[in-house]
Amino acid sequence: MRVLVIGSGAREHALVLAASHDPAVTALACAPGNAGTAAISEQLPVDATDPAAVTALAREWRADLVVIGPEAPLVNGVADAVRAAGIACFGPSAAAARIEGSKAFAKEVMRAAGVPTAHSEVVDNPAHIDAALDRFGPIWVVKDDGLAAGKGVVVTDDLAKARAYAVTLLDGGHRVVLESYLDGPEASLFCLVDGTTVRPLLPAQDFKRVGDGDTGPNTGGMGAYAPLPWAPDGLVDDIVARIVQPTVDELANRGTPFTGLLYAGLALTADGPHVVEFNCRFGDPETQAVLALLESPLATLLHATATGKLAEQPPLQWAPGAAVTVVLAAEGYPGRPRVDDVITGADAPGVLHAGTRRAEDGSVRSSGGRVLSVVGTGEDLEAARTNAYQLLRSVHLPGGHHRTDIALAAARGEVTVPGGDQAQAAANG
């Protein structure tokens, strides 16, 4: 099987690395890729958001399977174009990708499917924002309706800050989604979906804030871990039954079946799991942790998903233990990052590249905000944490910064789902 992965981040490096271990894979390419993917796959230039360009590349390279990593190409219809050319493609149609491309659309689908989620309102006129904000609080959740690379949300107890962000979005021509605040730890559940069949992967948790203790602005993600030792028994089955499968069924009923990776971002409240948001692709940085534990052949699974044969695949196999991902970010991130710094230690096993490039002198240089993901595995979260941070100490990026508390609370047993027995009962149906 000739596999072409589209994208250039650490998620794509993780996908390429996992695919390289699949015996069915005979050739592997990444477009446009980065300095890390270049070590294990062909690198091919392409505008990842251009349906015609990606399709032409897939034809020229004779791909048997195209795997689309980022959300923007999916929302732009790249998967539609590739499939129209007769090439198997892992990733939803543009119509189905609206589940991430428009939060308002996602809320509409969830209401129709009876999926538990936060109360919300869509505001598209600045004259209506004050009255709408008065209907929320004392913690305000203000979101950009469209794609925002994980940074399009403000959660605050400061009404003035919430209003200022909403006005900024509206002034920029973006619709605003206001949501009620959901209490409880957050979790990410990735599910392979072939239009009807749903196969969940391991649950994970990511860390959006830039600083330790969940301080500072939101980012695309500063770290993650999997699985969740604190999760109630039966949590994954409950999420699939009450959230993912009804959403998949609703999309199919609308004539826009979802094929690819459906990512449920959840708050585990005292009343059971509620959807914070849906994404239409593998999440970053959770993918780096989840795939580090996957023993089933990834490319085979993705091809079966893309061709409607997921139900024929055997149960997924996972390595025991845990995995922890820590993101090393450039100085200035999540604002304007400093770039073109020389990175040392980036070629070690367990270091996945995101914002990197290989310079003419052979050095690896930074080229983006989230530069590397460092992945550690171990028999439990504490061991995985130790291994991840030990590996990180061998990597040097001038001005780079990272969080020191990824998975710390979970390793200490300090993460709990509010409601105790009530939450357990909800998770068990």
Side-chain angles (χ1 to χ4, degrees):
M1 187 190 331
R2 296 175 61 84
V3 179
L4 171 61
V5 176
I6 303 299
S8 61
R11 163 185 51 217
E12 287 72 41
H13 193 172
L15 288 167
V16 169
L17 182 62
S20 72
H21 297 146
D22 187 333
V25 174
T26 56
L28 190 55
C30 191
N34 57 45
T37 59
I40 50 176
S41 67
E42 294 181 53
Q43 301 299 105
L44 304 171
V46 75
D47 177 353
T49 62
D50 184 335
V54 174
T55 302
L57 175 64
R59 278 176 166 155
E60 180 183 353
W61 192 72
R62 297 178 291 111
D64 298 308
L65 173 67
V66 175
V67 179
I68 302 175
E71 61 273 23
L74 295 167
V75 172
N76 281 0
V78 171
D80 302 83
V82 172
R83 273 193 287 269
I87 302 169
C89 185
F90 181 86
S93 66
R98 289 185 68 206
I99 199 77
E100 177 172 1
S102 170
K103 295 175 182 64
F105 172 75
K107 289 291 186 181
E108 176 190 323
V109 170
M110 284 186 274
R111 280 193 295 271
V115 168
T117 187
H119 168 68
S120 66
E121 289 187 30
V122 179
V123 182
D124 58 9
N125 188 326
H128 300 157
I129 192 63
D130 288 316
L133 285 167
D134 286 345
R135 291 189 285 272
F136 291 83
I139 298 178
W140 286 268
V141 181
V142 185
K143 294 183 175 181
D144 186 335
D145 179 49
L147 296 180
K151 294 181 273 189
V153 59
V154 164
V155 180
T156 180
D157 59 2
D158 184 335
L159 176 58
K161 184 176 180 180
R163 185 183 189 280
Y165 182 59
V167 169
T168 297
L169 290 175
L170 291 166
D171 287 348
H174 298 240
R175 295 197 301 175
V176 169
V177 177
L178 299 178
E179 289 186 352
S180 57
Y181 177 71
L182 295 173
D183 196 15
E186 292 195 1
S188 303
L189 184 65
F190 300 165
C191 293
L192 300 174
V193 180
D194 69 357
T196 54
T197 300
V198 174
R199 286 283 183 91
L201 307 187
L202 290 179
Q205 185 180 64
D206 75 331
F207 295 76
K208 290 294 187 189
R209 301 280 188 173
V210 71
D212 284 0
D214 292 325
T215 57
N218 272 342
T219 71
M222 294 299 292
Y225 66 92
L228 309 179
W230 46 265
D233 293 339
L235 176 68
V236 170
D237 290 342
D238 181 57
I239 293 168
V240 170
R242 296 203 299 129
I243 291 174
V244 181
Q245 192 70 59
T247 301
V248 169
D249 294 343
E250 175 63 24
L251 288 169
N253 290 339
R254 290 168 177 247
T256 56
F258 190 99
T259 300
L261 195 291
L262 186 58
Y263 162 176
L266 307 149
L268 306 185
T269 76
D271 296 321
H274 283 58
V275 175
V276 175
E277 64 182 5
F278 276 116
N279 292 321
C280 64
R281 37 69 195 183
F282 278 100
D284 184 339
E286 300 101 315
T287 297
Q288 293 88 293
V290 171
L291 292 188
L293 299 172
L294 180 67
E295 294 186 334
S296 297
L298 179 68
T300 299
L301 282 170
L302 301 189
H303 189 270
T305 303
T307 55
K309 298 178 180 178
L310 185 57
E312 300 173 13
Q313 291 297 304
L316 301 188
Q317 299 298 311
W318 299 96
V324 171
T325 299
V326 182
V327 170
L328 179 61
E331 181 178 323
Y333 181 80
R336 178 176 294 180
R338 195 172 88 182
V339 297
D340 207 34
D341 285 310
V342 174
I343 310 163
T344 57
D347 294 327
V351 179
L352 300 178
H353 292 228
T356 67
R357 66 178 183 87
R358 183 76 64 174
E360 290 184 4
D361 63 5
S363 64
V364 175
R365 293 177 178 265
S366 60
S367 62
R370 290 189 296 171
V371 180
L372 301 169
S373 286
V374 176
V375 183
T377 57
E379 62 182 3
D380 55 24
L381 274 184
E382 184 56 44
R385 262 181 54 82
T386 297
N387 291 334
Y389 282 104
Q390 182 176 345
L391 178 56
L392 183 59
R393 285 194 291 272
S394 68
V395 180
H396 180 65
L397 169 66
H401 62 96
H402 64 275
R403 284 184 58 160
T404 66
D405 62 348
I406 303 300
L408 179 59
R412 290 176 172 173
E414 297 171 354
V415 180
T416 58
V417 177
D421 294 340
Q422 182 182 358
Q424 181 73 60
N428 289 336

